[in-house]
Every structure is written in C-alpha cells, then in structure tokens.
Amino acid sequence: MPMYAAYGMNMDPDHMSAKAPRSPIAGTGWLRGWRLTFAGGSVDGPGPHSEQGALASVVEDPDSQVFVVLYDVTEDDVALLDRWEGTDSIRPTRLRSRVHRLPNLPAGPPVDAQVSEFSVSDVTSGPSGISGGELSEEEYAPQGEDVVAWFYVMDAYEGGLPLAAYLGQLADAAESAGAPADYVHNLRTRPCQAGGAD
C-alpha cells in the first residue's frame, strides 16, 4: 500500500502512534497542488458540523502546497485510522496523489523506533547538513523525490473555523515535524474560534 501523508494532528508521531502503533515515519514532504483548509462549520452554518470545530482538510489548488509527514502504514493500521478520522457527522474520503518527499527525516526516532521500508536510507541530512531542522521552502524544494501517497479529505463544508486549541496543536505538530517557520507561523495566525482542549 502507498504511504500515508498526514497534514493534521497525525503529523505528531506520538499522536499517530496512539492510532496506528505499527506504522513508522517514512519522511516528510509537500503535497503539491493542494491547499490546507478547515472543514465543517458552526452549528448555525451550512453543512455538517463538529463539536470540535472545523477540522483540517485539503482542497485542490494548483498554486498551493501542504506540508505532510509520511508514514509506512500497515493494512491493520489503515483500518484503525479509518475508525479514528473524522467525526460522527463528518466522514473522510481517502485519496491518492503524488507527494514530493524530502530527503531528511523529522527529529526524533520513527514511531516505535521502527525503520520504514520507504525511508531514504542513503541521505543522512538535509540541505546544509541540517536534518529535520527549520529549513526554508527554497531549501526543501530542490531535494527529494516524488512518491505516491494517500491522505484523508473531509467531506464537509469548507470555511468553518477551527478551535484555537486544535489550531495550536496542529501548529505544534507541524513545527516538531520540521515544517518551515513561515508555514508554522501561517498556522498559528489563522483565524480561529475560542475554545478547545478540556
């Protein structure tokens, strides 16, 4: 099965490990031609809504790209992820696309310290000798290779606001995965609604 590209909370290896314990990190990259958005509206808005606020999703946009963490997911873990993703009122669809995988892995060991069969084994550091650090998009773009990966898209109204706590956790996950500083800043400064974690 192709790799799984996580752009939401599953960018955080600890979060992912709780859902899919047998699926190691296989790198990071860019889902090109897609834009990060939030699906699900408020109780008063159109379409299905979530008590958790709008959830991260992606929509096609030829001028955009979304930072992702790639995982080598087992068939059993795919079934577990399918049960975790979305909400009772917002169900995701699995799609496949090309992802530009970067040659550097995020800081820290892969999930459960496993080595993925998809890992880039002959490259130990990214551009300028940095592995998993904060690199500009220009430093990321020329390196790596294109791979096929699957990802979730929420089947819900685009345009809802995420809860502040959820957005902060999403930005933290992207930062810990080695997303460029400007990408993380964009996440931290997006419009959101008050509220969040218990």
Side-chain angles (χ1 to χ4, degrees), residues 15-198:
H15 189 87
M16 177 66 174
S17 182
K19 296 178 180 180
R22 295 168 299 277
S23 299
I25 290 177
T28 58
W30 292 101
L31 179 59
R32 294 177 171 166
W34 293 80
R35 173 175 49 83
L36 183 70
T37 188
F38 292 89
S42 64
V43 175
D44 301 327
H49 67 278
S50 164
E51 298 293 324
Q52 305 161 5
L55 303 174
S57 189
V58 290
V59 294
E60 288 186 273
D61 181 340
D63 298 323
S64 297
Q65 58 184 1
V66 178
F67 184 81
V68 296
V69 175
L70 296 165
Y71 292 92
D72 181 3
V73 181
T74 66
E75 291 290 341
D76 289 342
D77 279 355
V78 170
L80 291 173
L81 280 172
D82 283 347
R83 287 198 295 272
W84 273 99
E85 295 303 307
T87 67
D88 289 340
S89 60
I90 304 174
R91 297 308 315 159
T93 299
R94 271 194 264 146
L95 299 179
R96 289 184 186 191
S97 185
R98 291 198 178 280
V99 171
H100 184 75
R101 182 171 60 174
L102 307 173
N104 59 319
L105 290 173
V111 175
D112 288 348
Q114 298 176 11
V115 176
S116 167
E117 67 179 278
F118 294 111
S119 295
V120 180
S121 58
D122 53 343
V123 179
T124 57
S125 63
S128 307
I130 299 172
S131 178
E134 282 188 1
L135 303 175
S136 72
E137 187 176 322
E138 291 75 27
E139 287 178 293
Y140 271 113
Q143 306 294 325
E145 62 182 334
D146 285 347
V147 296
V148 174
W150 64 270
F151 52 94
Y152 291 106
V153 174
M154 298 298 161
D155 185 17
Y157 167 76
E158 177 191 3
L161 293 177
L163 293 177
Y166 174 74
L167 192 59
Q169 291 168 345
L170 193 65
D172 289 346
E175 185 172 45
S176 69
D182 58 342
Y183 188 87
V184 175
H185 176 75
N186 179 273
L187 284 173
R188 293 196 190 284
T189 56
R190 287 183 81 120
C192 58
Q193 56 182 319
D198 300 329

